[in-house]
Amino acid sequence: QRQMCIRDRTDLVRETGIDRSTLADMIGRMLKKDLLARKRTDGDQRANAVKITAAGRKALKAALPAVAKAEAK
């Protein structure tokens, strides 16, 4: 299992291949649902990073069987 650590938007764009504007929209929706939390990065206080919350981990765990089933097809 991957460690759920704090990620900045640039890292997420690079790792997921999702464009910045789409990713920003997705993050905004997940923040409103309390699936992610935002904090300032240590290296650049102007930049924000996100971290999965307990609610986000619960939602991810619930989704994993459906993801595995879809990927098996």
Side-chain angles (χ1 to χ4, degrees), residues 7-71:
R7 295 280 190 224
D8 67 26
R9 193 181 309 177
T10 302
D11 288 342
L12 290 170
V13 167
R14 185 175 46 252
E15 291 176 18
T16 63
I18 299 170
D19 68 83
R20 291 182 76 81
S21 61
T22 300
L23 185 65
D25 182 54
M26 292 169 68
I27 289 171
R29 286 184 275 139
M30 288 186 269
L31 287 165
K32 286 179 184 175
K33 293 179 180 181
D34 192 37
L35 301 175
L36 295 176
R38 185 186 336 238
K39 75 170 248 152
R40 295 283 182 199
T41 60
D42 293 332
D44 183 351
Q45 289 298 308
R46 298 168 297 166
N48 287 305
V50 292
K51 182 177 181 177
I52 193 167
T53 63
R57 283 189 295 278
K58 184 177 177 180
L60 177 60
K61 185 177 179 180
L64 287 176
V67 170
K69 185 177 179 181
E71 287 180 344

